[in-house]
Amino acid sequence: MDVEKTGMKTSTKLLIIGVIALVAVLGIAVGAFMQMNKQSSVNNAPVSINQSSDTQQTSQSSWHEVTTITNPTEGIVSFNIKGEQCKIVISATPIVNYQMNILSVDLLKNNVAVGTDYISWTATESPNTKENTTVSSAGPGNYQVNIHVTDLETWKIKVYDYY
């Protein structure tokens, strides 16, 4: 009976060590991917955008949609913000391929990073749509989003200006 308990403890320990190792490898892979993405050269692949021209002035500040970016490619899209804050909302749905599925977006102001956001799915994770929001208070000016897509069925980036 003591042998059975010892064997169960050993297998449980091995399982825990295996899970920890898997999480560590996944963390290193995501970190390497993000570092590689930041060091990669600027890719000007075509993307489709819908730029809105919101000319309505209000006395109270609120979020105004600037553009929506959708296309299963990667690249850089530029836009201007007149308010003090910029918000990006990213959403995506992965393809079912039992691989890592990733949407990574770097928010840049005058080619300097002011925010990064990403959505990812592991090989065994349910392929439900995910959404994340990033807000930058870098002020008005020229912004860019650097987009990197890995095995996604659909994705969308909405950009908002706060004024």
Side-chain angles (χ1 to χ4, degrees), residues 23-117:
V23 169
V25 167
L26 182 59
I28 291 169
V30 169
F33 167 77
M34 291 189 68
Q35 185 67 23
M36 180 181 64
N37 188 36
K38 286 182 182 178
Q39 291 176 353
S40 66
S41 63
V42 173
N43 182 359
N44 289 318
V47 292
S48 65
I49 62 171
N50 298 321
Q51 185 89 22
S52 67
S53 57
D54 194 349
T55 57
Q56 179 182 4
Q57 295 292 328
T58 60
S59 60
Q60 201 169 28
S61 295
S62 63
W63 290 107
H64 301 270
E65 186 174 335
V66 174
T67 189
T68 298
I69 307 162
T70 58
N71 196 351
T73 62
E74 55 188 44
I76 287 198
V77 176
S78 296
F79 52 89
N80 286 309
I81 298 295
K82 58 185 173 181
E84 291 299 317
Q85 293 182 328
C86 175
K87 174 171 73 171
I88 58 171
V89 178
I90 64 174
S91 61
T93 304
I95 60 174
V96 179
N97 62 353
Y98 304 103
Q99 302 292 324
M100 285 289 295
N101 309 91
I102 302 168
L103 171 61
S104 175
V105 177
D106 296 318
L107 180 62
L108 311 167
K109 181 178 181 194
N110 300 319
N111 296 316
V112 175
V114 293
T116 297
D117 205 353

Side-chain angles (χ1 to χ4, degrees), residues 3-19:
V3 172
E4 287 180 20
K5 287 182 181 178
T6 304
M8 192 169 275
K9 288 181 182 179
T10 301
S11 64
T12 302
K13 288 178 184 177
L14 287 174
L15 179 63
I16 290 171
I17 290 171
V19 169

